[in-house]
Amino acid sequence: MQVEILDALTDNFMYLIVDVATNTAAAVDPADAEVAVAAAARLGATITHVLTTHHHYDHAGGNNQMKKLCPSVEVVGGRGENVQGATREVADRECLQLGDAVTITAIHTPAHTAGHTSYLASAPSSSSAVFTGDALFVGGCGRFFEGGPEDMCETMRRLSALPREALVYAGHEYTVKNLQFALEVEPGNSAAQQKIQWAEARRASSEPTVPSTVGDELRFNPFMRVAVPEV
């Protein structure tokens, strides 16, 4: 399994998940459809699925164009989320197959929106990867537009239960600001201190700060640490 990070709009991330054995790919939140399709072509991959985390335009707004550029593509969204162009709605823990080797598992992660869905990609001999849209960022989480703190806590509980080594691919490049807030909450958190120095250096070189890991988020993300007394 291969993951390609693609920039979109101002600070969005899109992704291609590629089954390297069959050269088939899933595009995650392809807000800029032309960029996603061109990237797949460079890799020699065919996009068979669009995985949409939620209905906001900066994540779902390219879906109809994806259907024009890839007429047989399956556009996936969370059940009841009503994402643009959806041809399939998935429930929590529902699975779909990408190529021969990659299994995609939907995880209902509400709070930002009611039907927000993250996608866990797994393949033999590869680290699993979770694509969290605006549910979980590096060092933070998305605003509560259609849910509340209780939904966020349940979402963080679900994501915290994933393997510690699972890679986290978020929907936006918000890491430095998130970690500034994390250090306001926990000024003595050495993991957050080290991570923000690393993130600032990455951004100074115009490099992305994704992926993180579930294990690292548990060390410095205050929204995954609500049970810690210092938080």
Side-chain angles (χ1 to χ4, degrees), residues 29 50-56 59-60 63 74-94 96 104-110 113-119 131 146 158:
D29 288 349
V50 167
L51 306 177
T52 313
T53 59
H54 63 293
H55 65 80
H56 290 164
H59 294 261
N63 287 0
E74 183 171 57
V75 178
V76 179
R79 183 166 293 175
E81 184 68 1
N82 298 316
V83 303
Q84 183 187 105
T87 61
R88 175 178 176 180
E89 291 193 338
V90 290
D92 184 49
R93 299 297 172 180
E94 188 171 339
L96 57 90
I104 309 290
T105 304
I107 305 173
H108 184 215
T109 49
T113 65
H116 192 293
T117 298
S118 299
Y119 298 94
F131 299 83
E146 298 175 12
R158 292 182 176 195

Side-chain angles (χ1 to χ4, degrees), residues 98-226:
L98 175 64
D100 291 340
V102 181
T103 300
I104 309 290
T105 304
I107 305 173
H108 184 215
T109 49
H112 186 67
T113 65
H116 192 293
T117 298
S118 299
Y119 298 94
L120 178 67
S122 304
S125 303
S126 296
S127 296
S128 58
V130 61
F131 299 83
T132 56
D134 288 2
L136 175 68
F137 300 130
V138 181
C141 74
R143 292 182 181 181
F144 307 160
F145 286 119
E146 298 175 12
E150 298 84 1
D151 298 302
M152 182 276 291
C153 288
E154 175 60 18
T155 285
M156 296 302 141
R157 185 194 66 77
R158 292 182 176 195
L159 295 173
S160 296
L162 297 177
R164 296 293 186 265
E165 66 275 13
L167 300 173
V168 175
Y169 290 92
H172 289 271
E173 181 57 79
Y174 291 163
T175 302
V176 172
K177 288 185 178 180
N178 287 340
L179 290 170
Q180 289 170 346
F181 174 74
L183 285 168
E184 290 180 10
V185 175
E186 281 189 278
N189 187 315
S190 60
Q193 294 167 358
Q194 294 169 12
K195 188 69 174 183
I196 196 170
Q197 292 177 357
W198 173 87
E200 288 171 340
R202 292 283 291 181
R203 297 310 299 145
S205 301
S206 298
E207 296 290 338
T209 60
V210 290
S212 182
T213 67
V214 169
D216 281 349
E217 293 304 309
L218 288 167
R219 294 171 63 220
F220 54 66
N221 188 324
F223 298 96
M224 294 188 83
R225 293 171 57 80
V226 292

